[in-house]
Each structure stands twice: as C-alpha cells, then as structure tokens.
Amino acid sequence: MKAHGIEIVVTSPGQPIRRLSFDVGVVLHLGRAMDNDVVLCDIGVSRRHARLLVEADGVFLEDMGSGNGTYFRGERIRRLTVNNGDEVLVEPFTLRFVLVPSQPSSGDGLTGSLEDVDDEDTVEVMVQPQSSEAKTAAQIAQDSQPRARLVTLVGHRLAPGYPVRPDGLSIGRSDSQDIILFDPSASRSHARLSHVGPDIWLQDDGSGNGTFVNGSRVREQCLRHGDRIRVGSTEFRFEFLDGFGREPPTLPQAKVRVKRLAYRAPDTAPVPTGRQSRPRGPRMVAMAAVGGFAIVLMLITGGLLALYVLDPILEVPAGGVKVSEPSLTAPARQHLVRGRALFEQARYLDAASQYYAVLSLAPGHPEATRMGALSTEYLTLGYLKKGLVLRSLSESEKLKFRRKSLRLAKRALAGSGKRAEAEAALMDTLVIWPKDPAVMALLASLRS
C-alpha cells in the first residue's frame, strides 16, 4: 500500500495514549534514549530498539538487535512490511500503525485549482551560462580541498564508505551526526573530520572512550592516506582519492603540529630546527609511571626498615600472643592482643583501630604508637598499590569493572547482596572515575 504519511498510536498500561504523525520519506528511530523520534521510556526497551522507514511505496519496520526483541502476532521479527492497522509489541508498549493513503492525481499531473494560460502570457528570459572564470571564492576554496573518504572496516549497519564533504564530517551516536553509529561504546557526538588547508584533521569531541588512530589515542591528528581510525568498537580506513597527502600513515604528532601552525600563520618566523619538539605524551606517561613506582619502593623500604627496628617488640612466643605490660590496664591489654592478631592476619585497618584504642587508654605507649603507625603505613601501601593496578587497566577492563560494581550495589540495595562488598567495589570504582554520578548516587544509597 502506497502511503502519504503514517500515524503511530502508542499505548501502555497505566499511561495515556500517544498519537504521533509523520510524513513520507523519513526514517524514524524508536527506543529508550531521549534522542529517538519515538521515545519508549522503559528499562525493557533498548536505547536503539528499532527503526521505521516511511517510504512512498511502503512502510518497513526493522529491529536493530534489541535485547528483548520486537514482536508481531506473537513472533519475534527482524524486518516487517507494515500494513494499515498492524500492531507491534515492544514490551510493555503496543504500537498500532495507521497508514494515510496518497491522494490520486489527475492523468496530466495538474490539479484543478490551476488556471490555463495562453502562450501570450509567457515571457522569454535570456539566461547566460556562467563561465568557469566567474566562480566564487567559496567555490575556488572548495575546488582546492582534497577529496577523501572513510571506508568502513568494522561497524554495524553502516555504509561501505563515506566521502568527506567540504564542510567536514561528524561521527557519533546522535541522529544529528553525518555518520550515525549504532554502537553503545561511542558517544553521542564522538569525533569530526575537518579541512585545514591542504590537510584533513581528525578531532575528538570529548568522547568517553576516546578516538584512536593506528592504535594510539588522540585528541586531534592530521590524517594520512591509509590511517585506521577507531571510534568505540567501529573502525574506518581513511583514504585520499586524488593524490593529496599520500605519505606514510600517521606522521609523529609533534611534527604534524609544526606544519599546521605554519599554515595558520604563514607570516610568522620559521620554527627553529636546532631544538625540534618531540612527542611528549608517551614520555610523560613513562616518567609518571617510573615516579609512582619509585614512591612505592621508598614506602616499602621504609616499612621493612620499621619492621627491623620493631623486631624485638613484635617478637611473639610460639605458644600464642603474650603481653607483659604491667602498667597497662586489662582493657588496654585486650586491645593490644587483638591488634597483634589482626596485624598478623594482614587486617591493617582493624589493627590500627585497636592500637589507637590502646593509645586512648595509655597515651604514649611505645608499642601501640609504633604498631599503629606501621599498620597505617601498610594500609596506605595497599591502597596505593590497588590504585596503580586499577588505573593501569585497559578501557574495556575499566568499563567491565564499573558494570560489575554497579551490579553488586543494585543487588545489595535489593537485599540479595552484601552491602560491605558492594560499598568496597564502588569505592574502588571511584579510584578510576572520581566523580562518576551513578557510582556516587549508589554509594550514598548504600550508606543511607
């Protein structure tokens, strides 16, 4: 059935009926995300659940790999030719489609509201062809730009290739982007390609998972023929079509920046060649890592030295923990015994609390003072080591760790998990993302 438009009637238990009308020639996205054309707010609906193609020769519904599926007459579908009155279930929503048929036109293609005119009512207008020399400055600039394209290597529901337009090319999950990615690991506005003189630059738009060129994460990079670009889990190959920029893929970033600055300000003095800038990113990361491990090594050395100094005090007979401190009261001796036992079990936080309880009852006690400081030092070393391990994880491992922490917290809040374990996992997640709003909200709920 040929359609002139479509009306979608959305019903759900306990919610008012919604009626949405659209014209022919559009592609509608349905899902939980707020940037969809038809928003279905429910946890059982995927962010990008399905899409509807409203064309002149028919209407087609395609499931976009949703988790819970799209159903028609009790059967899960991948693609459906929609007819007038069809009802589709996207749990818990029911979508009924009402097709508006196109109006038949007269045989000559004219409507009755037009008046006939005689030949005398027409006027000949002389149109002179535009010469090639009369091009505007914008056209000249456009002609001087290199022609390039992105070839899709890995991606879901993407075209084989995308030409880079004169005004650039935007990439992201939002429908407003030139290349729309159906990729949950991509940001809504992830990256863009722009013409800069004779070059084409790739710029990251502050994405969460980053943009990579030939395996290296970049914020902006001048592209070369053959560069491989990864956005989330989608991968492209960059190609020039007319011989521009056919150099080895991805020159070192510092040298490319010098060329870009020279293009932007051609009247400035040339860059000195005596001290050429070098790529600082990997070097700075390496220096920071070496410095961090040096600090850890110093703390471990200090802890071992403290153990040697305190060895006579910490020596315990084989028969068990024995305390011979006649000046201590009975409660203080009990705290001291518990502190030694907890320290031997590597429970340094609990041990430190016992030693400081001794100091509250017997201020200045030498063993409690030293062992409290040593327990605190060991505790700090443990947190520092955990932080280094967590920050050295790959991006995929960090995301997996975050998902696991959120899952533990939700189970604990539902009463099917341990709150202490969930709280510890959320605290570890904050080491990676210190201001994650979802993690902070769940942590506040656990502590309330």
Side-chain angles (χ1 to χ4, degrees), residues 78-99:
R78 290 295 180 187
R79 182 179 172 90
L80 172 70
T81 301
V82 178
N83 295 313
N84 188 34
D86 283 350
E87 290 188 353
V88 172
L89 177 64
V90 179
E91 186 67 30
F93 299 93
T94 300
L95 284 69
R96 183 164 60 88
F97 301 98
V98 180
L99 305 185

Side-chain angles (χ1 to χ4, degrees), residues 120-167:
E120 297 177 355
D121 295 333
T122 61
V123 178
E124 292 185 359
V125 179
M126 300 299 295
V127 179
Q128 296 181 355
Q130 183 180 5
S131 64
S132 59
E133 298 177 355
K135 292 183 178 180
T136 63
Q139 290 173 329
I140 295 175
Q142 178 176 339
D143 292 342
S144 64
Q145 290 178 344
R147 294 189 305 115
R149 67 176 178 179
L150 290 180
V151 179
T152 305
L153 301 179
V154 178
H156 181 61
R157 295 182 180 273
L158 295 177
Y162 296 90
V164 181
R165 301 198 304 252
D167 57 346

Side-chain angles (χ1 to χ4, degrees), residues 2-61:
K2 294 185 177 181
H4 180 67
I6 186 172
E7 182 183 42
I8 306 176
V9 182
V10 183
T11 58
S12 178
Q15 296 185 12
I17 298 176
R18 289 186 291 161
R19 297 179 181 271
L20 308 171
S21 299
F22 301 95
D23 295 329
V24 71
V26 296
V27 178
L28 308 175
H29 291 86
L30 298 79
R32 192 177 76 247
M34 298 306 294
D35 58 347
N36 286 287
D37 301 290
V38 181
V39 180
L40 305 175
C41 292
D42 190 84
I43 192 63
V45 181
S46 300
R47 291 178 57 84
R48 300 284 183 182
H49 199 100
R51 68 174 181 177
L52 190 70
L53 290 77
V54 185
E55 302 176 354
D57 56 349
V59 180
F60 307 95
L61 179 67

Side-chain angles (χ1 to χ4, degrees), residues 355-371:
Y355 286 123
Y356 288 123
V358 174
L359 292 176
S360 65
L361 298 173
H365 189 275
E367 180 180 352
T369 301
R370 294 177 182 177
M371 291 302 299

Side-chain angles (χ1 to χ4, degrees), residues 115-362:
E115 297 181 357
D116 295 333
V117 295
D118 297 330
D119 292 340
E120 297 177 355
D121 295 333
T122 61
V123 178
E124 292 185 359
V125 179
M126 300 299 295
V127 179
Q128 296 181 355
Q130 183 180 5
S131 64
S132 59
E133 298 177 355
K135 292 183 178 180
T136 63
Q139 290 173 329
I140 295 175
Q142 178 176 339
D143 292 342
S144 64
Q145 290 178 344
R147 294 189 305 115
R149 67 176 178 179
L150 290 180
V151 179
T152 305
L153 301 179
V154 178
H156 181 61
R157 295 182 180 273
L158 295 177
Y162 296 90
V164 181
R165 301 198 304 252
D167 57 346
L169 201 63
S170 58
I171 307 172
R173 211 175 65 246
S174 172
D175 291 343
S176 61
Q177 306 298 311
D178 299 320
I179 302 179
I180 302 174
L181 303 181
F182 301 98
D183 183 354
S185 58
S187 299
R188 288 167 55 85
S189 178
H190 200 108
R192 66 182 59 251
L193 277 72
S194 305
H195 289 272
V196 181
D199 297 325
I200 295 179
W201 281 74
L202 172 69
Q203 180 180 2
D204 184 89
D205 283 349
S207 61
N209 293 326
T211 303
F212 295 80
V213 175
N214 297 335
S216 299
R217 185 168 182 171
V218 298
R219 291 192 178 277
E220 56 179 8
Q221 176 69 49
C222 182
L223 297 177
R224 295 291 177 249
H225 183 78
D227 281 347
R228 297 172 71 96
I229 301 171
R230 180 161 60 86
V231 175
S233 59
T234 308
E235 191 169 352
F236 302 95
R237 183 176 66 249
F238 177 78
E239 294 181 352
F240 282 107
L241 302 178
D242 46 12
F244 278 83
R246 291 190 177 268
E247 304 177 24
T250 310
L251 298 176
Q253 193 166 1
K255 296 182 180 179
V256 173
R257 288 182 180 277
V258 170
K259 292 177 65 177
R260 187 183 186 191
L261 292 174
Y263 169 76
R264 283 186 170 181
D267 297 333
T268 58
V271 179
T273 58
R275 296 180 59 187
Q276 295 182 353
S277 59
R278 298 179 180 177
R280 299 180 60 187
R283 183 178 178 183
M284 293 298 292
V285 172
M287 291 177 63
V290 172
F293 282 114
I295 294 174
V296 174
L297 184 61
M298 289 169 53
L299 292 174
I300 293 175
T301 305
L304 294 176
L305 181 61
L307 282 176
Y308 281 110
V309 172
L310 298 176
D311 183 69
I313 300 176
L314 299 177
E315 187 174 355
V316 180
V321 177
K322 183 178 179 181
V323 181
S324 58
E325 292 288 345
S327 60
L328 291 178
T329 61
R333 288 195 185 96
Q334 292 177 0
H335 287 304
L336 195 60
V337 170
R338 293 195 195 102
R340 287 179 171 178
L342 291 170
F343 188 88
E344 290 178 357
Q345 299 172 15
R347 296 170 59 182
Y348 301 118
L349 179 60
D350 297 332
S353 65
Q354 294 295 325
Y355 286 123
Y356 288 123
V358 174
L359 292 176
S360 65
L361 298 173

